[in-house]
Amino acid sequence: MTLPPRNLLAEEASPYLQQHSGNPVHWRAWSPAALAEAQTLQRPILLSVGYAACHWCHVMAHESFENDDVAAVMNRLFVNIKVDREERPDIDQIYMAALSSMGEQGGWPLTMFLTPDGKPFWGGTYFPHEARYGRPGFVQVLEAVDKAWREKRQSLGQSADGLTTHVEARLAGTHGKAALDRDALANLANGIDGMIDRELGGLRGAPKFPNAPFMQTLWLSWLRDGATSHRDAVLLSLEQMLRGGIYDHVGGGLSRYSTDAEWLVPHFEKMLYDNAQLIRLCNWAYSTTGNDLFRIRIEDTIDWLLREMRVDGEAFAASLDADSDGEEGLFYTWSKDEIEAVLGDESSLFFKYLTLSTPPGWEGKPILHQTGEQQRQSVADRDRLVPLKEKLLAAREQRVRPARDDKTLTDWNGLMIAALAEAGRALKRIDWIEAAEQAFAFIATAGRDNRLPHSILGEKRLFPALSSDYAAMANAAISLFEATGTSRYAELAGQFIAQLDRWHQDSENTGYYLTASDCSDVPIRIRGDVDEAIPSATGQIIGAMVRLASLAGNLDLQEKAWKVAEHAAGRVAHQAYGQAGIINACALAIEPLKLVVVDKPEDPVLVPVANRNPDPRRIDNVVPVGSATNLPMLPGGVLPPTDKPGAWLCTGQVCLPVITSPEELDRVLRRQ
């Protein structure tokens, strides 16, 4: 079969694909029909993978995909397939691993050339229209690939077969299970600690990414083993990024990464997942240090989220572009004159707390950031600074806004829902918990046949969900249960795990695949072990199963989680730094913490202590005094007495004696 000789992206459910619907390139979305067309024509596939907030994706589109002459070459020589990596992370991970296996540096846009049956034989990332940056021009690349395909097809096919086999072994293979070992977390944390920039935070060098999975490894190491240097590395990294240009000091929210080692010049795109993980990290940091910087940044980030990222007042959009009006960062940057025009005589007070800098090589307007002293002073004088920022924000709203990718991704929303629920508990913000519940309800009711969609855009739903979607929503449901006490959330978490078992479990019941069993268009069914900016699907699955098993006292689920963790540990031994999410989750499986609190709903004394001491290793369950039915069980199936307030902290199958004093509970939770 062949598809119509025209661009077919206009009806897709991805804003990124729709951005390319006006290209003269005869784009197809990834589908069985597009793959069949390549087989029929016996043409190689040109696969282009990107996402809506990707700056260099836009550059390549403007230079090449919107060019009639370039498009004519593409249309004549290839079947051209466009993929939104946020819609199809399974496809993206396969071909990114192939590029890496070729010894090439990964990134987006990802440009891969495939045999008609979808096997990769060559690729790269961004190719300029004309030869520069040490790269050949894009048309040169197209013609060279076509020549190689015509003249060396057999050897290219053999190369593609070998590369595909290698990628399959790496992403979908099985290894013998490994015993869960406490040392795995400590060893990884020590390795990460050795890479930390002790002056500027984050990992040494540039560019600098938040790297939440690594930060969680360090935090868990401190909580469990008392490694204060690991805690301090996280706190330093947070403080430094929160005063750098990577944080939006006027409107709130964290950008994707900084291009330099000082966190100063951001790549200005804002991603939902980065900000979800920032909220969680700041919540842990605030509970530990009492430093109001972290509380303020939580508040500012959530203000941004609810103001700019809510889609129709319900769940949350995927991202904001880096560019507006054709220029990166234009929406977020200021000249001194612009600030003085908005603030007038108050501008000198504003510059007491913030600095404008134009670093070498940056061609845009200056970037707002803070010195360490300005950061400390702005926290102390927040009431003076807030009205000035509000004036600048109002002025900024008159500018051309960056485009927003309005698709609601289930897994990213799950991360944000959990973060809102946890921060709402800790900081007594019922409105945040309510926002989390609203987003959860929107996604949970958007499914069909008891299955979640992966992506929602208006009336369009992309099915089937990925394993990461069920895992993230299960974790979100558990966090909402902790925040509200509503048992329905625990039940839904169990239903999400059941859907994982039905559609994603492997034949040996030792783990899960990222893609559902009835998804027919993936060349390799991968496991989803590798972290990206967020923990891997496998790491999230193990975490959800451990938490739900601990919450419900379900020994069968606990045993299943242990089995999945052992097999994941066997695979992770080969590339620990790329799979920190699995090691973090295995640490939870080894020593799950459970806190059961019996308290008076009208005048609680113990619950506030638990709420202000969040711990990612711990599942909390609150029971009203006098409750006739007890949802929680202590190890061994023992029901706690509910005639008076008390708290039971259990590690695995062992519980401390009942704690009745809030001071004692606070001491125990902080020591733990």
Side-chain angles (χ1 to χ4, degrees):
M1 65 170 291
T2 58
L3 295 170
R6 56 184 172 81
N7 189 309
L8 300 178
L9 299 183
E11 297 304 313
E12 291 298 316
S14 158
Y16 173 67
L17 296 186
Q18 290 178 5
Q19 285 174 7
H20 291 270
S21 64
N23 296 167
V25 178
H26 295 166
W27 289 121
R28 286 85 174 85
W30 184 276
S31 67
L35 299 175
E37 180 178 35
Q39 292 271 28
T40 299
L41 297 175
Q42 279 300 291
R43 281 189 197 170
I45 294 168
L46 192 164
L47 175 68
S48 176
V49 184
Y51 58 101
C54 166
H55 172 71
W56 286 103
C57 299
H58 297 322
V59 172
M60 191 166 176
H62 295 323
E63 290 179 347
S64 294
F65 303 150
E66 295 171 8
N67 182 296
D68 288 331
D69 294 335
V70 176
V73 177
M74 294 172 66
N75 296 337
R76 177 168 53 85
L77 301 179
F78 302 97
V79 170
N80 301 290
I81 298 181
K82 206 34 144 153
V83 166
D84 180 344
R85 69 173 295 259
E86 297 167 359
E87 271 198 339
R88 295 303 303 265
D90 48 351
I91 301 300
D92 176 61
Q93 287 184 35
I94 290 167
Y95 294 108
M96 191 62 76
L99 184 67
S100 174
S101 298
M102 296 174 191
E104 297 290 330
Q105 179 71 36
W108 297 275
L110 174 63
T111 307
M112 293 296 291
F113 295 92
L114 321 178
T115 64
D117 55 354
K119 295 177 180 178
F121 62 84
W122 194 76
T125 52
Y126 163 78
F127 289 101
H129 180 232
E130 305 292 342
R132 63 178 186 275
Y133 309 128
R135 296 169 181 258
F138 191 48
V139 171
Q140 288 178 266
V141 170
L142 299 176
E143 291 175 340
V145 171
D146 171 63
K147 185 173 188 291
W149 177 252
R150 286 184 285 106
E151 297 178 359
K152 303 177 182 178
R153 183 174 305 193
Q154 184 174 357
S155 64
L156 284 182
Q158 291 170 346
S159 173
D161 288 342
L163 185 57
T164 301
T165 300
H166 175 76
V167 170
E168 187 164 15
R170 179 175 163 191
L171 297 184
T174 57
H175 298 278
K177 68 180 182 181
L180 298 189
D181 184 354
R182 288 182 98 257
D183 291 343
L185 178 70
N187 292 339
L188 178 59
N190 288 332
I192 295 169
D193 189 56
M195 297 187 283
I196 291 291
D197 184 328
R198 295 295 169 189
E199 181 183 354
L200 299 168
L203 303 185
R204 287 191 295 271
K208 265 191 165 58
F209 290 84
N211 207 321
F214 276 14
M215 294 298 109
Q216 185 168 353
T217 302
L218 293 170
W219 198 257
L220 290 173
S221 172
W222 169 64
L223 287 173
R224 192 191 71 180
D225 301 329
T228 54
S229 67
H230 297 172
R231 173 200 64 195
D232 294 345
V234 176
L235 296 175
L236 170 68
S237 300
L238 285 173
E239 288 173 4
Q240 293 288 336
M241 73 175 77
L242 290 174
R243 69 178 180 86
I246 190 175
Y247 193 80
D248 180 356
H249 292 277
V250 170
L254 190 73
S255 294
R256 174 77 279 266
Y257 65 91
S258 69
T259 60
D260 59 293
E262 288 79 30
W263 304 105
L264 177 56
V265 182
H267 197 30
F268 285 90
E269 65 201 41
K270 288 183 182 178
M271 314 302 293
L272 186 67
Y273 55 75
D274 283 322
N275 287 281
Q277 294 175 113
L278 177 72
I279 291 166
R280 292 195 83 203
L281 287 166
C282 284
N283 192 32
W284 303 341
Y286 177 61
S287 73
T288 299
T289 65
N291 184 345
D292 281 330
L293 166 70
F294 301 119
R295 175 183 57 80
I296 290 168
R297 290 293 183 265
I298 292 170
E299 293 169 352
D300 289 347
T301 302
I302 295 177
D303 283 348
W304 160 77
L305 175 80
L306 299 179
R307 182 183 67 245
E308 297 188 25
M309 296 298 282
R310 254 180 156 171
V311 179
D312 298 328
E314 296 184 284
F316 303 106
S319 64
L320 294 176
D321 266 12
D323 303 8
S324 56
D325 232 9
E327 184 176 330
E328 184 180 8
L330 183 63
F331 183 74
Y332 298 104
T333 51
W334 301 81
S335 68
K336 189 169 185 287
D337 289 346
E338 286 174 327
I339 290 175
E340 289 175 342
V342 173
L343 297 181
D345 294 341
E346 294 177 306
S347 58
S348 59
L349 178 62
F350 179 79
F351 287 121
K352 177 182 176 182
Y353 304 115
L354 284 124
T355 296
L356 281 174
S357 291
T358 305
W362 174 245
E363 298 178 354
K365 288 185 292 187
I367 297 167
L368 278 171
H369 65 106
Q370 294 180 310
T371 65
E373 178 55 35
Q374 284 178 323
Q375 187 180 66
R376 288 185 288 273
Q377 199 62 44
S378 68
V379 171
D381 298 348
R382 189 190 188 200
D383 290 346
R384 302 181 72 191
L385 181 59
V386 165
L388 307 183
K389 289 167 62 175
E390 288 175 345
K391 290 180 181 179
L392 289 173
L393 182 63
R396 197 174 79 176
E397 287 298 311
Q398 305 308 308
R399 298 175 176 176
V400 175
R401 292 191 58 83
R404 187 176 78 172
D405 186 335
D406 275 348
K407 67 177 180 291
T408 294
L409 292 167
T410 295
D411 48 359
W412 294 6
N413 269 264
L415 294 174
M416 183 57 81
I417 291 163
L420 285 172
E422 292 165 15
R425 279 183 69 203
L427 298 180
K428 303 178 183 178
R429 291 293 299 264
I430 301 301
D431 54 326
W432 296 350
I433 297 172
E434 290 173 344
E437 290 192 281
Q438 194 166 4
F440 183 93
F442 175 77
I443 294 170
T445 57
R448 68 183 186 209
D449 301 325
N450 293 318
R451 300 179 72 176
L452 293 173
H454 172 61
S455 176
I456 305 165
L457 183 69
E459 296 302 312
K460 297 174 181 176
R461 307 284 189 270
L462 181 67
F463 290 96
L466 301 167
S467 64
S468 56
D469 297 315
Y470 289 109
M473 285 294 283
N475 277 307
I478 293 166
S479 293
L480 282 171
F481 170 79
E482 292 180 292
T484 67
T486 303
S487 59
R488 176 63 177 157
Y489 288 122
E491 294 168 5
L492 286 168
Q495 291 178 21
F496 295 145
I497 298 296
Q499 291 296 315
L500 272 175
D501 288 345
R502 180 173 178 185
W503 297 106
H504 296 269
Q505 196 165 41
D506 63 25
S507 58
E508 296 80 27
N509 298 336
T510 60
Y512 298 86
Y513 290 108
L514 183 60
T515 311
S517 58
D518 59 345
C519 187
S520 60
D521 63 358
V522 285
I524 301 170
R525 200 166 171 225
I526 66 175
R527 290 190 174 274
D529 286 345
V530 179
D531 298 329
E532 293 187 309
I534 60 177
S536 66
T538 302
Q540 293 186 62
I541 290 166
I542 295 168
M545 293 171 70
V546 168
R547 294 176 74 206
L548 184 60
S550 184
L551 173 65
N554 185 331
L555 296 180
D556 289 339
L557 182 56
Q558 181 180 316
E559 185 176 333
K560 179 161 66 170
W562 188 270
K563 182 178 180 181
V564 171
E566 285 185 317
H567 283 270
R571 300 192 300 272
V572 82
H574 301 270
Q575 43 181 330
Y577 287 98
Q579 300 181 8
I582 290 177
I583 291 177
N584 296 342
C586 288
L588 303 185
I590 292 170
E591 293 179 336
L593 293 183
K594 179 176 182 176
L595 180 67
V596 177
V597 180
V598 175
D599 211 344
K600 298 176 181 177
E602 68 280 1
D603 185 25
V605 293
L606 299 176
V607 170
V609 178
N611 287 348
R612 67 173 177 259
N613 284 290
D615 186 329
R617 304 170 300 160
R618 202 181 73 227
I619 185 76
D620 292 356
N621 201 335
V622 176
V623 185
V625 167
S627 174
T629 57
N630 296 53
L631 180 64
M633 287 194 295
L634 304 179
V638 177
L639 296 175
T642 63
D643 56 323
K644 58 186 177 183
W648 290 262
L649 181 65
C650 308
T651 304
Q653 298 298 307
V654 179
C655 298
L656 295 177
V658 62
I659 301 167
T660 57
S661 157
E663 294 77 17
E664 174 68 4
L665 182 59
D666 190 70
R667 185 186 68 79
V668 168
L669 294 183
R670 288 191 177 276
R671 186 186 67 196
Q672 289 288 328

